[in-house]
Amino acid sequence: MVFVGSEAYIRQMRLPFTLHVCRYIWRNLIIFGHNAVVYVVVAVIFGIVPGWASLLAVPGLLLILVNALSVGMLLGMVSTRFRDIPQIITSLTQVIFFLTPIIWKPEMLGDRVALALVNPVHHFIELLRQPLLGQVPSALTYAVTLGFTVLSVAASLLFLHRFRNRIAYWI
């Protein structure tokens, strides 16, 4: 709902559409910063000492932000055109939450651990989780996240080039 929520700005002044997506990303980044305090408290309680591997959280977060911008642009355009898409995305987000090893470990799948590895959301979570636990993410995690980001940026740019002039009329 990024463009529908910015309807007044879009209709009154000509601004880059990426600015509206960046506003939403910035808001969520601030919320993430507030929640990072919980990580610091838990790390102190459990004796997790940040090492050099913890610095990998910064490029991981940047990769997630680039992906969030491209996916936000893409889903923002599609959701503006088809108003039922946000409800579908909300439902899919709940399903993806339970299919992604967030509250459970991939090892719990036993010989079906490959099911977790084909989930790109798992790799984006590991991109931040592993460095914050003092471990280096696997090469597979970097390959999947970089590949997914390249595809999402390409799709977003393609859609933006094709439908940029129609967004104001779809609102």
Side-chain angles (χ1 to χ4, degrees):
M1 298 303 293
V2 65
F3 296 130
V4 175
S6 302
E7 175 184 6
Y9 299 113
I10 292 173
R11 289 191 179 203
Q12 289 186 10
M13 62 186 98
R14 188 170 174 85
L15 294 170
F17 289 112
T18 54
L19 182 70
H20 305 294
V21 178
C22 286
R23 277 184 39 229
Y24 279 86
I25 292 172
W26 182 248
R27 180 191 64 164
N28 289 321
L29 193 60
I30 290 172
I31 294 169
F32 175 75
H34 285 93
N35 291 332
V37 174
V38 174
Y39 163 74
V40 172
V41 171
V42 170
V44 168
I45 291 172
F46 287 100
I48 298 173
V49 180
W52 289 107
S54 298
L55 294 176
L56 291 173
V58 174
L61 183 61
L62 290 175
L63 189 61
I64 289 171
L65 291 175
V66 168
N67 197 55
L69 178 65
S70 63
V71 170
M73 284 294 297
L74 183 63
L75 291 178
M77 286 183 279
V78 172
S79 296
T80 302
R81 177 64 179 102
F82 304 104
R83 296 298 174 100
D84 292 338
I85 297 293
Q87 289 83 9
I88 295 171
I89 291 172
T90 302
S91 297
L92 284 176
T93 302
Q94 291 173 352
V95 171
I96 289 171
F97 175 78
F98 290 114
L99 293 177
T100 303
I102 297 171
I103 55 177
W104 51 274
K105 293 183 177 182
E107 296 82 33
M108 295 173 76
L109 293 175
D111 59 343
R112 297 182 191 163
V113 72
L115 293 174
L117 297 178
V118 298
N119 183 351
V121 178
H122 164 68
H123 294 287
F124 278 102
I125 294 207
E126 289 297 307
L127 204 57
L128 274 184
R129 182 189 324 198
Q130 293 298 321
L132 292 178
L133 293 175
Q135 301 168 356
V136 177
S138 69
L140 177 66
T141 296
Y142 282 112
V144 169
T145 53
L146 282 171
F148 192 83
T149 302
V150 166
L151 288 175
S152 68
V153 167
S156 177
L157 290 174
L158 207 122
F159 268 67
L160 186 62
H161 177 71
R162 174 102 170 111
F163 300 114
R164 172 187 314 226
N165 297 330
R166 299 180 189 176
I167 294 173
Y169 298 108
W170 289 342
I171 297 177

